[in-house]
Amino acid sequence: MVNEVLTLLKNAEDYLSGEEMSKVLGVTRASIWKTINKLKEQGYTIESSTRKGYRIKEVPNIITKSEVLEELHTQLLGREIVYYEEISSTNEEAKQLAREGCQEGLVVIADQQLLGKGRLGRNWSSPAGTGIWMSLVLRPPILPLQASTLTLVAGLSLCEAIEAVTGLEARIKWPNDIVVNGKKVCGILTEMSAELEGIKYVILGIGINVNTPHFPEDLPYASSLYLEGKQQYIRKDILKEFLMRFEKDYFTYLEVPTFQNFIQRYEAKCITLNKKVKILASSQEYVAYAKAITEEGMLKVVTEQGEEKIILAGEVSVRGLYGYVDEEKEKGV
Ligand code: BT5
């Protein structure tokens, strides 16, 4: 009912009476009144006049199903949306829905996460009213081994979507952090359920700090689009731009599931390349020079001994980013 009343109000040129709406929608005037109150609770400013009815004055900066669905030009991604004011983790909810057999393209969105997750059991700070916390259910007909390239494609679409909406210079720290002015503004957590021969589902969890005004002291390398761009952004614009761009890239990817078609675009945005990096591989740590991205989406590096290595996953610190300073620099040499 909320969606229907909202659509009527948004399409109306002037005030719309409760009676008119109840007739069009075939419900009682009391139920229209209740729905108007719900909309007000969600933050809509609705003017009401006893004689003329209701009129929307201001739409809040929210990412509810009805706001995201409006003018979302996709065929698959986001055709089904589940929205929560508050949830433990959108990835957990998406996993549950995927296990229950939901269709591909379903998106779980939350205004706030109480237990937002990063990779390797880390936390993801997800306060209310400021960011985009979302998880996408995909069922790609690819091998489990190929899933990491899919995450890279999503990171690329996300980086380009942020640039398109905000005009900020967004960059990718391989494999998946989106960075603006050297600080992390987005993270991606991909989880998957697979058998040897195929994937049951992939959950693509995306966190974007949009209008976060400040971060706790223990997150010195985090930032938001607001802090970097010095202005507030409309959250649904970024969310929709991402879904539309990623859908296009996802369909291209499914035609030939390698990273080949994306390398050029990715390299143009990747700040890890042509830099000194520190690789934390299982128990060993070493310094190398990041040279290229492979067709499989891996990072090609050259060690200080001149040996070429391919990094599949693991932590890669980029010199000059997130507090990674050269030892010589630290000593003031
Ligand atoms: C990530 O992990 O960057 C993946 C984050 C994915 C979050 C989304 S939100 C929707 C969906 N539902 C979930 O529950 N999760 C996904 P990682 O690379 O491990 O980075 C985590 C680290 O980043 C933490 O240990 C902190 O140091 C830092 N961090 C935590 N919250 C942050 C934030 N909001 N912005 C920037 N950095 C943050």
Side-chain angles (χ1 to χ4, degrees):
M1 183 57 61
V2 169
N3 284 347
E4 285 84 352
V5 170
L6 201 51
T7 309
L8 284 182
L9 285 173
K10 279 188 174 175
N11 291 334
E13 280 177 6
D14 201 0
Y15 281 91
L16 203 57
S17 74
E19 193 178 340
E20 256 178 289
M21 285 194 269
S22 70
K23 264 193 205 146
V24 175
L25 299 175
V27 295
T28 61
R29 282 182 66 178
S31 115
I32 296 288
W33 182 78
K34 265 193 206 153
T35 311
I36 295 280
N37 281 342
K38 254 190 220 154
L39 286 170
K40 284 183 181 167
E41 271 168 31
Q42 286 185 359
Y44 291 87
T45 312
I46 299 177
E47 287 179 330
S48 48
S49 140
T50 14
R51 266 191 326 112
K52 296 189 274 184
Y54 305 98
R55 184 168 72 172
I56 288 199
K57 202 169 163 227
E58 219 177 290
V59 175
N61 191 349
I62 54 176
I63 42 177
T64 51
K65 180 175 171 176
S66 31
E67 288 300 330
V68 174
L69 275 179
E70 198 178 275
E71 290 185 44
L72 177 68
H73 306 297
T74 54
Q75 293 166 39
L76 179 72
L77 306 188
R79 293 332 307 167
E80 193 71 54
I81 292 176
V82 188
Y83 172 80
Y84 294 91
E85 289 273 308
E86 189 182 282
I87 200 168
S88 59
S89 151
T90 55
N91 260 39
E92 289 305 316
E93 179 65 11
K95 253 191 264 177
Q96 179 63 31
L97 294 171
R99 279 195 291 264
E100 288 166 10
C102 77
Q103 69 168 57
E104 178 173 41
L106 178 133
V107 182
V108 179
I109 301 173
D111 190 55
Q112 177 179 17
Q113 291 187 119
L114 302 173
L115 285 171
K117 301 190 305 175
R119 294 174 303 150
L120 308 168
R122 293 188 281 239
N123 293 326
W124 183 258
S125 159
S126 324
T130 59
I132 298 172
W133 326 122
M134 62 179 279
S135 299
L136 198 55
V137 179
L138 298 175
R139 299 188 186 276
I142 57 173
L143 294 171
L145 254 177
Q146 296 168 311
S148 60
T149 49
L150 181 60
T151 318
L152 260 64
V153 174
L156 177 58
S157 318
L158 183 57
C159 178
E160 292 177 345
I162 288 172
E163 276 203 328
V165 175
T166 65
L168 291 168
E169 206 174 81
R171 291 292 175 261
I172 308 168
K173 174 183 168 288
W174 183 88
N176 283 315
D177 286 3
I178 309 293
V179 170
V180 176
N181 298 333
K183 293 199 162 183
K184 178 162 170 172
V185 293
C186 309
I188 302 184
L189 168 66
T190 307
E191 296 183 277
M192 130 176 114
S193 167
E195 285 160 356
L196 268 184
E197 63 278 15
I199 288 177
K200 285 195 207 153
Y201 59 80
V202 169
I203 307 295
L204 209 61
I206 294 176
I208 313 172
N209 304 322
V210 182
N211 294 324
T212 325
H214 49 76
F215 288 87
E217 261 172 36
D218 61 343
L219 296 179
Y221 306 115
S223 191
S224 66
L225 302 176
Y226 163 75
L227 289 172
E228 299 309 316
K230 314 265 183 301
Q231 69 176 89
Q232 300 255 342
Y233 298 99
I234 309 287
R235 286 186 286 166
K236 67 179 176 190
D237 290 352
I238 297 171
L239 208 167
K240 285 194 260 196
E241 187 71 26
F242 165 68
L243 288 176
M244 293 192 274
R245 283 174 183 260
F246 180 52
E247 174 167 288
K248 202 162 161 256
D249 288 334
Y250 181 55
F251 289 161
T252 306
Y253 174 80
L254 290 184
E255 280 169 25
V256 189
T258 80
F259 201 55
Q260 177 85 66
N261 291 325
F262 302 94
I263 291 183
Q264 231 181 351
R265 269 168 63 200
Y266 191 93
E267 288 195 339
K269 298 282 180 226
C270 183
I271 41 163
T272 309
L273 290 178
N274 307 316
K275 295 234 172 66
K276 194 168 163 183
V277 293
K278 212 189 271 174
I279 318 273
L280 191 67
S282 11
S283 56
Q284 176 203 15
E285 189 179 296
Y286 61 94
V287 169
Y289 181 77
K291 209 174 145 192
I293 304 291
T294 71
E295 256 175 54
E296 294 80 28
M298 296 173 194
L299 186 67
K300 190 187 277 182
V301 300
V302 183
T303 67
E304 287 181 319
Q305 291 71 39
E307 192 190 342
E308 224 170 59
K309 285 196 174 190
I310 303 290
I311 314 296
L312 166 65
E315 297 297 302
V316 175
S317 316
V318 182
R319 205 193 87 180
L321 256 194
Y322 302 176
Y324 167 28
V325 192
D326 255 343
E327 278 84 34
E328 301 99 78
K329 250 195 182 170
E330 272 178 328
K331 284 183 216 137
V333 178

